[in-house]
Amino acid sequence: MSRPGQGVMMPGSGLGFPPQNVARVVVWEWLNEHSRWRPYTATVCHHIENVLKEDARGSVVLGQVDAQLVPYVIDLQSMHQFRQDTGTMRPVRRNFYDPSSAPGKGIVWEWENDGGAWTAYDMDICITIQNAYEKQHPWLDLSSLGFCYLIYFNSMSQMNRQTRRRRRLRRRLDLAYPLTVGSIPKSQSWPVGASSGQPCSCQQCLLVNSTRAASNAILASQRRKAPPAPPQPPPPPPGGPPGALAETVKCFITYLIPECLFPRTFYGEKCWNGYIITVGFQAQWPVEGNCWTPSSRKGGQLRSGVPALPVKNLNGTGPVHPALAGMTGILLCAAGLPVCLTRAPKPILHPPPVSKSDVKPVPGVPGVCRKTKKKHLKKSKNPEDVVRRYMQKVKNPPDEDCTICMERLVTASGYEGVLRHRGVRPELVGRLGRCGHMYHLLCLVAMYSNGNKDGSLQCPTCKAIYGEKTGTQPPGKMEFHLIPHSLPGFADTQTIRIVYDIPTGIQGPEHPNPGKKFTARGFPRHCYLPNNEKGRKVLRLLITAWERRLIFTIGTSNTTGESDTVVWNEIHHKTEFGSNLTGHGYPDASYLDNVLAELTAQGVSEAAAKA
């Protein structure tokens, strides 16, 4: 079966426009790490089109219509998707399809992944499958599209032609993608002060003009004092000196810029007397060494004798506030002075590729993998028996508050009449064996009954753990091995790599919403430890914590705000291999001691294991 034709696409990063007076379905797509264009949902595409109609150079906050896309923003000017928490940028495009095709009818074809979640096909594949389905073909070969899969409509399955593995697929009706007719008017080019003719009298322009006049006076004085300049070499070819690479610099700041001084290389949102940069600015500058050097407006080359005034840390990682640095750079550019912008560093998340033959077991740690299965809740032990095991009865309690019910210990528990247990009188008071803190016995029974009910008890005051604490981590796999690379700060040792993998699934009775599906984002997750004595000690305790289901839990992500998803459980890991830009990497001299303290707080320590 031949592949259906795609819509017209404009080259480069500009917006695509359909031919005049021809109806087309609009599908917005983003480019993933495998160089495949993945479609946004119809709801998201409608949202993008609505923003596009209002401001073709604006930005689109995807989290307004899809909770799973909270960190993502699309910049319509540069046609890129920007992830705010990591800084990752991916190209996006606006594609057009026939209204009678699958997106025009709101038909989505999806396949089931290993975690049981449904993933939409690329749009061209979806259209191909729908065409074959409508023609009542019994099967479809996707090899013409570059995929070694066969689609069987009778069984609604997809089969890998090489491995013979089958997956389920489904056809789902959803919202139809937005429809457009003709072309949307292109945005006008940004005004430049030089072409406006009349100078502006706003306060910002007066400030910049005075700065420009002062800088010109300084430059003239420097030229009079400076010795004759030596003969200059011939100018380099357009785009910068030999070996220089022209790159687009992006800075994300918010500032009011006068309309008459707003350069063509900037973009923003129009206001009453200028432009507000709401997404950022960009410029094509030649790269020299580790900084970007903007060319002057006239000859494309920096004039000799002009002092370079660096404006650094525009990405906010240093002591200079990004808005202050950005405004300084704008004023310097307006005054004709060169600006040196430091290259924004990128985190090194993963080590160089490692062959299987170079991967070795960790010395002193048996095995290379641990798996946890779904925990079936044991028949709950009598809460009263668990509490009595760790408490000693107090005959004459002091006249102080019980920190659970906030009633006096010499009076009855605040849970009197709310919770009843045979043999537990509301006025009974007990002392925990190791820490000595005292509570109403009925209060501790209530606290245990509302917890994981695993036979352990944790003091609500000092967090001391009695028994073996277990968590609610979903089933998954933990792998660990040595790789022949060193972490920053540990040049003489190899690295222990830990790989956690947890698939999506259904929440159990110990989770926040039993029976509801939970997601597992970002797996497999890679973490790193130095291969020294303390690093191997941390690894052994992490294995124990994994087996006790304490590494992860199900809750709400602090990063994306997504609920019912797998999140870390108060035991910090280093997920950045070769840098420490995010705070989750090396060097970090106190990390190993800190994580040992966190493990101890969860009841995981060598002393507890020997006890």
Side-chain angles (χ1 to χ4, degrees):
M1 173 172 288
S2 62
R3 180 176 178 175
Q6 294 187 17
V8 180
M9 286 295 301
M10 290 291 289
S13 62
L15 294 174
F17 299 96
Q20 292 283 351
N21 301 323
V22 177
R24 289 289 184 269
V25 172
V26 180
V27 178
W28 284 81
E29 299 166 319
W30 58 278
L31 189 67
N32 69 7
E33 62 274 14
H34 304 296
S35 299
R36 289 168 50 193
W37 289 99
R38 302 288 298 138
Y40 291 100
T41 64
T43 302
V44 172
C45 289
H46 277 278
H47 178 57
I48 299 174
E49 286 293 300
N50 291 335
V51 176
L52 179 65
K53 292 176 183 178
E54 296 179 1
D55 183 5
R57 288 172 174 251
S59 59
V60 186
V61 181
L62 301 185
Q64 293 178 348
V65 292
D66 191 335
Q68 296 183 358
L69 302 180
V70 166
Y72 297 99
V73 176
I74 290 180
D75 173 26
L76 296 176
Q77 166 70 17
S78 63
M79 292 293 283
H80 275 78
Q81 170 190 277
F82 176 70
R83 177 161 181 163
Q84 300 175 81
D85 54 347
T86 65
T88 303
M89 299 186 71
R90 298 185 185 275
V92 299
R93 72 179 184 182
R94 185 171 182 250
N95 212 352
F96 300 97
Y97 297 94
D98 190 276
S100 62
S101 62
K105 299 176 180 179
I107 296 174
V108 181
W109 285 88
E110 300 171 322
W111 56 276
E112 187 180 31
N113 62 26
D114 293 336
W118 292 95
T119 304
Y121 285 96
D122 298 348
M123 189 53 68
D124 54 350
I125 299 177
C126 177
I127 293 175
T128 302
I129 296 175
Q130 177 61 22
N131 289 342
Y133 179 83
E134 290 177 351
K135 295 178 181 178
Q136 298 184 350
H137 293 312
W139 56 273
L140 171 66
D141 188 352
L142 296 180
S143 58
S144 62
L145 299 181
F147 299 94
C148 58
Y149 296 111
L150 291 173
I151 302 294
Y152 294 99
F153 294 107
N154 292 335
S155 59
M156 291 296 281
S157 62
Q158 165 193 286
M159 186 184 74
N160 188 312
R161 299 179 63 179
Q162 295 179 351
T163 64
R164 317 301 292 181
R165 182 180 180 182
R166 288 179 178 262
R167 296 180 183 272
R168 291 195 301 164
L169 74 145
R170 71 179 183 181
R171 176 178 179 268
R172 182 172 59 84
L173 289 178
D174 198 356
L175 179 68
Y177 279 81
L179 193 67
T180 185
V181 178
S183 62
I184 299 176
K186 295 185 179 180
S187 302
Q188 297 178 353
S189 59
W190 298 107
V192 181
S195 62
S196 60
Q198 297 296 328
C200 180
S201 60
C202 69
Q203 293 298 320
Q204 292 91 342
C205 292
L206 293 176
L207 171 63
V208 173
N209 287 332
S210 63
T211 304
R212 179 183 295 163
S215 65
N216 288 338
I218 295 172
L219 294 176
S221 175
Q222 288 179 344
R223 292 193 191 99
R224 287 193 297 268
K225 296 179 181 179
Q232 295 294 327
L245 175 64
E247 293 191 6
T248 298
V249 181
K250 286 185 176 289
C251 307
F252 294 88
I253 60 176
T254 301
Y255 248 103
L256 175 66
I257 308 301
E259 179 173 353
C260 64
L261 291 176
F262 203 85
R264 294 184 184 275
T265 54
F266 288 68
Y267 56 92
E269 178 182 348
K270 186 73 168 63
C271 68
W272 66 276
N273 64 346
Y275 288 85
I276 295 178
I277 301 178
T278 54
V279 179
F281 59 87
Q282 62 181 7
Q284 288 287 343
W285 290 337
V287 177
E288 297 177 342
N290 290 326
C291 65
W292 282 289
T293 307
S295 301
S296 62
R297 295 180 183 178
K298 294 183 179 180
Q301 300 299 316
L302 289 173
R303 297 188 300 271
S304 61
V306 178
L309 303 179
V311 178
K312 300 181 179 180
N313 304 314
L314 287 184
N315 61 342
T317 57
V320 181
H321 192 278
L324 175 62
M327 192 57 185
T328 305
I330 293 169
L331 291 175
L332 290 174
C333 286
L337 295 176
V339 181
C340 179
L341 300 181
T342 59
R343 183 190 301 272
K346 294 183 178 180
I348 304 173
L349 299 179
H350 302 290
V354 179
S355 63
K356 290 185 178 180
S357 59
D358 291 332
V359 174
K360 305 295 182 184
V362 181
V365 181
V368 294
C369 179
R370 297 290 191 278
K371 293 183 179 180
T372 57
K373 298 181 180 179
K374 186 172 183 179
K375 178 182 177 182
H376 299 282
L377 287 181
K378 302 176 182 177
K379 292 183 179 179
S380 339
K381 298 179 181 178
N382 188 332
E384 177 191 345
D385 295 337
V386 174
V387 171
R388 287 183 181 275
R389 183 190 311 164
Y390 305 118
M391 295 199 71
Q392 301 168 355
K393 186 177 178 181
V394 177
K395 293 183 178 179
N396 299 308
D399 187 15
E400 58 186 41
D401 287 341
C402 169
T403 57
I404 298 178
C405 69
M406 301 310 295
E407 298 289 345
R408 309 296 286 181
L409 290 174
V410 294
T411 63
S413 166
Y415 284 91
E416 182 182 15
V418 178
L419 185 68
R420 292 183 180 179
H421 272 266
R422 186 178 303 173
V424 181
R425 299 195 307 274
E427 64 274 10
L428 287 179
V429 174
R431 177 189 291 111
L432 288 172
R434 289 203 313 271
C435 64
H437 291 110
M438 290 180 284
Y439 308 94
H440 290 114
L441 193 63
L442 189 61
C443 292
L444 281 176
V445 170
M447 183 186 75
Y448 177 83
S449 300
N450 289 327
N452 201 27
K453 297 188 282 289
D454 57 0
S456 69
L457 194 66
Q458 187 167 14
C459 175
T461 300
C462 66
K463 307 303 180 185
I465 296 174
Y466 296 82
E468 182 179 294
K469 179 182 178 181
T470 60
T472 59
Q473 176 180 287
K477 181 172 65 173
M478 173 188 184
E479 296 180 352
F480 42 89
H481 48 254
L482 278 184
I483 57 175
H485 298 291
S486 299
L487 294 166
F490 299 93
D492 299 329
T493 63
Q494 292 184 323
T495 299
I496 301 171
R497 178 166 61 185
I498 305 172
V499 182
Y500 295 110
D501 196 5
I502 295 178
T504 58
I506 304 299
Q507 299 182 50
E510 72 273 29
H511 293 137
N513 297 297
K516 185 178 180 181
K517 180 181 176 180
F518 68 85
T519 59
R521 310 288 183 192
F523 287 93
R525 299 187 185 182
H526 292 224
C527 309
Y528 305 96
L529 293 169
N531 182 33
N532 54 24
E533 182 177 353
K534 188 173 288 187
R536 291 189 291 272
K537 175 182 177 181
V538 170
L539 174 62
R540 288 192 292 268
L541 295 179
L542 287 176
I543 293 173
T544 301
W546 171 265
E547 292 172 340
R548 296 182 186 177
R549 306 173 70 205
L550 294 170
I551 301 291
F552 297 95
T553 187
I554 294 177
T556 300
S557 170
N558 291 329
T559 305
T560 65
E562 181 183 7
S563 58
D564 298 306
T565 190
V566 179
V567 296
W568 295 104
N569 187 34
E570 299 181 0
I571 301 176
H572 286 82
H573 287 64
K574 292 296 187 181
T575 56
E576 191 177 341
F577 173 79
S579 56
N580 194 19
L581 300 180
T582 64
H584 303 299
Y586 296 93
D588 186 344
S590 60
Y591 167 68
L592 295 178
D593 292 326
N594 290 341
V595 74
L596 286 172
E598 291 172 345
L599 286 163
T600 301
Q602 298 282 355
V604 181
S605 64
E606 290 186 338
K610 295 177 182 178

